[in-house]
Amino acid sequence: ISYKYIKIYEIYIFFFYLFSLCALALSNKVSFDFPSFSVGNNNITLVGDSYLRNGVVGLTNAIDEPTSSAGALVYNKPISLLDPLTNTTASFSTTFSFSINNVNPISFGDGLAFFLSHDNRSLGTGTGIGGGGSLGLPNNFVAVEFDTRFDSRFDDPNENHVGLDIDTMNSLMTGDPILHGIDLKSGNTITAWIDYKSDHTVLNVFLSYARSKPLEPVLTVRVDLSLYFKDAVYVGFSSSTEGSTELHQIESWSFHTIGFVPARPRLQPHNVSDNSVSVTVGNNNIPASSSSKNHDKRVRFGIGFVIGGPVFFCAVVFSFLGYISVRKWRRGVRNDQKSFKSEFVACPREFDYKELKSATREFHPSRIVGHGSFGTVYKAFFTSCGTIAAVKRSRHSHEGKIEFLAELSIIAGLRHKNLVQLQGWCVEKGELLLVYDFMPNGSLDKMLHKESERGKLLNWSHRFNIALGLASVLVYLHQECEQRVIHRDIKTGNILLDGNFNPRLGDFGLAKLMDHDKSPVSTLTAGTMGYLAPEYLQYGKATDKTDVFSYGVVVLEVACGKRPIEREGPKMVNLIDWVWGLHSEGKIIEATDKRLNGEFEEEEMRKLLLLGLSCANPDSAERPSMRRVMQILNNEAAPLVVPKVKPSLTFSSDLPLSIDEIVSDAEEFNTGQSMCEIKIE
């Protein structure tokens, strides 16, 4: 068959397949819309303390005295989100307007949640996991919470956050609406958009005081919900108060899916107690009417294929297989190029340059969020899937190529919860680009030294968790990978914080692979002054112990809130020397960050400071392994004994830089920005 006929056949099959999928999806759409709510609406159920008044649903008791109350609004008909024939999950989107208000400004809590659940029996009654203090949710759920109470039991970041919860009130990830100009407790009407795209396994939450959808989401979570949607689900809202007077109101609601028909209603769809299936107006209970008013709701269900569905489905499948076969043939014909790209098939995805250019507004300076050893980092917003990512772009394609290849080849094969996840890469237009998950809380350096000036301060729990998470990922890199990975540039600027302030180590542009049984190889010294081990400065040999030294500096920086090399008056102060001096005087606890105002566990702080000194010992032989560090942090091993006087080292040859030169250079470069970025390469 000639090439041109193959191409024509390919185009035909592609459009037929696309048309077929679109037709099938549109025919099975589930959609409903409530611009307001009415007493005669028999498509919703009010549960627990919820009530309806003036077209608005209140979820909890509307009284002036503090009380514990729970209630829910549920759409009556269960909805199927899983197609058993293809084992695929439908995408869904919901939009609703709500308000959270209070007659007593000091009595806020707990907030409200949008949920999907197989269980509609324990909603809002206090019998499920929700109860009084947990948003009135049922025993199993996927929920987006709009939380207005700080509760340490659930690791809440603050008293004003949005989070994704699955079967527990400990959120998988949270977002801060204040950063987007939204105060959940303002009392104003807020419109929310929740979009789940099953093909991208991404859930996005948008918030606005206006009716127009904003460009950037408050919360983005990569999560595959297919495991939770095996059976039909109920959708709705729940809320609770825990001894407060907070008011939660739902003013309008629309919901739709693309892909599948609604599930057949159960014989007893509500399956709740008799006192919770009525619509309440004022103090009077009125049974829900068997008819509803058209001007109060618009409910539409697409009619799926009944007889021709299986035949149509088979035609789509065979067409798709034919299209894939032709694509494979075309790939074989064009297999004479892209030798460079073929080396990195392990990477998740190859991005198109135009897509990255558009997502970063043509690499506009306003989108710059940082700089790494590899190049500039931009915030990218992909409108096609509603996700945010970080794009690292090389400064010079020729000089940055080696570092680019190093980072790509190393991190593509790494998997750890405390690593920044690589999404993909791009090599076009002389540019070298890497695409990562976006970390909403930025770098640890920024959070320690800049955000505190704006009133945002890492608490002790977050700081200890950062030390633990960083130790965990270094154990993985040093001992658990097939080849040992020496990072060589561990510093607070390369440690990013996700929505829950968990640490994610990034920037592998200077990393080196090494077999576990091989000796370190001498290279040009690379890294950031203040974090470099003395033997690394002298001999240029990167080992796991040089990473341990850098980790020790980071730990001291986290505990003390001071930079590794910092100006105090006319002189520069080395953080390690300063802490060791306090330790020699028996006053090491005085090194604690004064901004914590004493809100920390003293024994944990003492352990962290001594651990930092142990790791930053000038004698590499005396430094612990990262495995031992983890054991110490987890109370599985005794802390190391730290000498009262800092050990001194002598070298057989002259230093490439003398101590005076190092301090002089640090003085020159320390301009009060991210840190003294003295690069020795």
Side-chain angles (χ1 to χ4, degrees):
I1 305 176
S2 68
Y3 178 83
K4 69 175 183 178
Y5 289 118
I6 288 288
K7 189 173 183 180
I8 292 172
Y9 175 73
E10 176 189 350
I11 294 173
Y12 166 76
I13 290 296
F14 173 77
F15 281 105
F16 177 74
Y17 170 67
L18 184 63
F19 171 78
S20 301
L21 283 183
C22 291
L24 183 63
L26 289 174
S27 67
N28 292 331
K29 180 180 179 181
V30 177
S31 178
F32 59 81
D33 184 11
F34 301 113
S36 61
F37 301 94
S38 65
V39 175
N41 191 336
N42 67 339
N43 287 291
I44 61 171
T45 295
L46 303 184
V47 183
D49 295 329
S50 60
Y51 61 91
L52 191 153
R53 186 177 300 153
N54 299 325
V56 175
V57 171
L59 297 175
T60 51
N61 286 331
I63 57 178
D64 296 338
E65 295 296 324
T67 184
S68 292
S69 174
L73 161 65
V74 190
Y75 183 69
N76 287 347
K77 299 180 178 64
I79 297 172
S80 287
L81 294 173
L82 181 70
D83 183 356
L85 293 176
T86 61
N87 197 33
T88 56
T89 306
S91 299
F92 68 83
S93 178
T94 186
T95 305
F96 53 93
S97 295
F98 69 95
S99 64
I100 299 176
N101 207 339
N102 207 321
V103 295
N104 184 355
I106 63 172
S107 182
F108 275 101
D110 293 314
L112 60 87
F114 167 79
F115 70 85
L116 304 96
S117 175
H118 308 302
D119 176 22
N120 69 337
R121 291 173 291 181
S122 55
L123 274 164
T125 61
T127 60
I129 193 172
S134 303
L135 304 179
L137 288 162
N139 288 313
N140 60 82
F141 58 85
V142 173
V144 175
E145 66 174 30
F146 301 85
D147 201 335
T148 56
R149 182 192 295 275
F150 171 75
D151 196 327
S152 59
R153 294 175 299 171
F154 306 132
D155 295 326
D156 287 344
N158 52 48
E159 60 180 17
N160 200 313
H161 62 274
V162 178
L164 176 64
D165 305 342
I166 298 180
D167 290 340
T168 175
M169 295 305 299
N170 293 82
S171 300
L172 289 179
M173 186 172 290
T174 61
D176 189 345
I178 295 294
L179 298 179
H180 297 258
I182 302 295
D183 181 0
L184 296 178
K185 301 187 288 187
S186 65
N188 298 324
T189 297
I190 300 171
T191 301
W193 294 261
I194 301 174
D195 301 326
Y196 175 68
K197 296 183 180 294
S198 60
D199 51 342
H200 295 282
T201 60
V202 170
L203 184 139
N204 287 305
V205 181
F206 303 82
L207 291 177
S208 176
Y209 289 126
R211 292 286 181 173
S212 56
K213 188 175 182 179
L215 290 177
E216 296 190 3
V218 171
L219 175 66
T220 296
V221 185
R222 288 191 171 276
V223 58
D224 185 359
L225 297 179
S226 60
L227 297 177
Y228 303 93
F229 295 150
K230 297 296 184 184
D231 300 318
V233 296
Y234 291 93
V235 297
F237 304 90
S238 66
S239 181
S240 68
T241 60
E242 191 175 4
S244 77
T245 58
E246 189 169 274
L247 306 177
H248 313 96
Q249 295 183 322
I250 306 297
E251 300 174 10
S252 62
W253 179 26
S254 66
F255 179 94
H256 69 270
T257 67
I258 298 293
F260 314 118
V261 296
R264 180 176 298 176
R266 301 173 188 172
L267 294 178
Q268 295 179 338
H270 306 308
N271 201 17
V272 292
S273 58
D274 292 338
N275 65 352
S276 63
V277 292
S278 59
V279 177
T280 305
V281 179
N283 296 321
N284 301 319
N285 288 340
I286 303 175
S289 169
S290 60
S291 62
S292 58
K293 299 180 181 180
N294 292 331
H295 69 275
D296 285 328
K297 65 169 180 56
R298 299 192 298 276
V299 183
R300 306 183 302 277
F301 290 108
I303 302 175
F305 294 100
V306 178
I307 299 176
V311 177
F312 185 81
F313 177 76
C314 290
V316 171
V317 171
F318 282 115
S319 299
F320 177 71
L321 292 176
Y323 172 68
I324 292 299
S325 299
V326 173
R327 290 293 295 174
K328 286 183 177 179
W329 180 86
R330 291 276 309 271
R331 246 182 247 122
V333 172
R334 296 196 302 259
N335 210 22
D336 52 77
Q337 55 181 339
K338 299 187 179 180
S339 58
F340 171 80
K341 297 176 183 178
S342 65
E343 297 177 16
F344 304 105
V345 292
C347 286
R349 175 186 169 191
E350 179 187 356
F351 281 82
D352 182 75
Y353 182 81
K354 290 183 179 178
E355 183 181 10
L356 297 182
K357 187 176 180 181
S358 173
T360 57
R361 290 180 58 194
E362 299 188 352
F363 301 104
H364 195 274
S366 64
R367 291 294 184 93
I368 295 176
V369 293
H371 300 276
S373 63
F374 167 65
T376 305
V377 184
Y378 295 84
K379 185 177 183 180
F381 182 74
F382 297 93
T383 55
S384 58
C385 55
T387 60
I388 299 177
V391 177
K392 295 179 69 174
R393 184 190 190 196
S394 66
R395 296 191 186 98
H396 309 291
S397 60
H398 176 69
E399 295 175 8
K401 188 172 182 179
I402 294 176
E403 292 178 357
F404 171 81
L405 297 181
E407 181 158 8
L408 187 58
S409 61
I410 291 173
I411 201 169
L414 301 179
R415 294 291 183 272
H416 192 278
K417 65 179 182 178
N418 295 114
L419 285 176
V420 180
Q421 185 63 51
L422 178 69
Q423 293 185 17
W425 59 286
C426 175
V427 180
E428 281 186 46
K429 310 288 186 184
E431 299 276 5
L432 307 174
L433 304 108
L434 294 176
V435 183
Y436 289 96
D437 284 349
F438 181 74
M439 297 292 108
N441 283 313
S443 71
L444 175 58
D445 170 66
K446 177 182 176 183
M447 188 60 66
L448 279 175
H449 305 300
K450 293 184 180 179
E451 291 298 328
S452 60
E453 299 172 2
R454 305 176 187 176
K456 294 182 65 176
L457 184 70
L458 284 171
N459 62 35
W460 173 242
S461 176
H462 288 145
R463 296 190 193 209
F464 193 84
N465 182 60
I466 287 168
L468 190 62
L470 183 58
S472 175
V473 73
L474 287 175
V475 170
Y476 169 74
L477 295 175
H478 291 175
Q479 297 178 274
E480 297 174 357
C481 294
E482 183 177 353
Q483 284 184 293
R484 186 190 308 166
V485 179
I486 309 301
H487 190 279
R488 298 205 304 162
D489 200 16
I490 294 170
K491 60 182 181 180
T492 53
N494 286 340
I495 300 165
L496 305 179
L497 303 176
D498 65 16
N500 291 321
F501 297 96
N502 295 310
R504 303 288 189 92
L505 181 61
D507 204 334
F508 281 74
L510 299 179
K512 295 293 180 185
L513 287 174
M514 187 187 305
D515 292 333
H516 288 283
D517 58 349
K518 295 292 179 65
S519 298
V521 178
S522 294
T523 64
L524 290 176
T525 305
T528 303
M529 188 58 65
Y531 298 92
L532 301 181
E535 75 276 11
Y536 187 37
L537 282 168
Q538 170 65 20
Y539 300 116
K541 290 184 178 180
T543 68
D544 53 349
K545 289 302 180 72
T546 58
D547 275 358
V548 173
F549 182 92
S550 301
Y551 171 81
V553 177
V554 169
V555 165
L556 294 178
E557 192 173 351
V558 166
C560 304
K562 293 180 178 290
R563 301 183 189 277
I565 301 174
E566 196 167 74
R567 179 187 294 278
E568 287 190 3
K571 63 178 182 177
M572 303 298 293
V573 176
N574 181 286
L575 177 60
I576 300 172
D577 292 342
W578 179 70
V579 177
W580 221 304
L582 290 172
H583 172 55
S584 66
E585 298 172 7
K587 301 186 293 184
I588 193 171
I589 205 69
E590 293 184 13
T592 302
D593 189 346
K594 298 299 185 291
R595 296 171 299 176
L596 288 172
N597 294 321
E599 296 179 0
F600 57 87
E601 296 291 335
E602 185 169 330
E603 285 308 308
E604 284 187 345
M605 176 64 79
R606 188 184 306 277
K607 177 168 65 175
L608 204 61
L609 288 167
L610 290 173
L611 183 63
L613 292 181
S614 298
C615 294
N617 194 314
D619 186 353
S620 62
E622 295 299 318
R623 295 173 205 152
S625 68
M626 290 310 304
R627 178 79 69 186
R628 180 68 182 274
V629 169
M630 276 291 292
Q631 292 171 341
I632 293 172
L633 289 174
N634 288 323
N635 297 317
E636 298 169 355
L640 298 175
V641 177
V642 181
K644 288 292 185 179
V645 179
K646 179 184 175 183
S648 58
L649 290 180
T650 58
F651 295 101
S652 58
S653 60
D654 293 333
L655 281 167
L657 288 179
S658 69
I659 296 299
D660 291 337
E661 288 172 329
I662 290 173
V663 173
S664 174
D665 286 345
E667 214 170 359
E668 231 176 277
F669 279 81
N670 187 11
T671 58
Q673 298 178 355
S674 63
M675 63 184 61
C676 27
E677 297 284 346
I678 307 172
K679 296 287 185 177
I680 305 176
E681 300 182 356

